[in-house]
Amino acid sequence: LSARYTVMRLDAVLNDGQLHKIHICRRAGRAYGYVDDKLVGQAEAKTILGTLPPLAVGTTKCGPFDGTQALMGTVANVCIGPL
């Protein structure tokens, strides 16, 4: 399996026991990451997205062979759509 991922590091502390609003968006070939409405990361993101697997918590649809990790936490109020 070959995959092209955009690596974007978020300069934010997320494991502090608090709830956080996380917003990831793509515009004009760049990905932007916001935590609690503050821009904390951005990266080039030109890969064309095809059909994506369902959103999941505590598991990964990609498997252990591609470097991705499952989210171990809580996801609430998910909205996926155009900006």
Side-chain angles (χ1 to χ4, degrees):
L1 176 70
S2 130
R4 293 183 296 161
Y5 294 104
T6 295
V7 175
M8 179 174 57
R9 305 230 183 265
L10 302 182
D11 186 21
V13 175
L14 301 175
N15 61 350
D16 59 0
Q18 303 298 311
L19 294 177
H20 295 282
K21 176 182 174 185
I22 300 172
H23 177 182
I24 306 295
C25 65
R26 270 178 39 150
R27 289 189 202 119
R30 292 199 67 76
Y32 299 89
Y34 297 84
V35 174
D36 300 327
D37 296 318
K38 178 182 174 189
L39 179 64
V40 294
Q42 59 180 297
E44 184 177 51
K46 293 189 176 185
T47 300
I48 296 171
L49 299 176
T51 302
L52 299 174
L55 180 65
V57 176
T59 185
T60 178
K61 299 294 182 181
C62 300
F65 47 82
D66 66 357
T68 59
Q69 295 179 351
L71 170 67
M72 296 303 186
T74 302
V75 175
N77 301 323
V78 173
C79 176
I80 299 173
L83 298 175

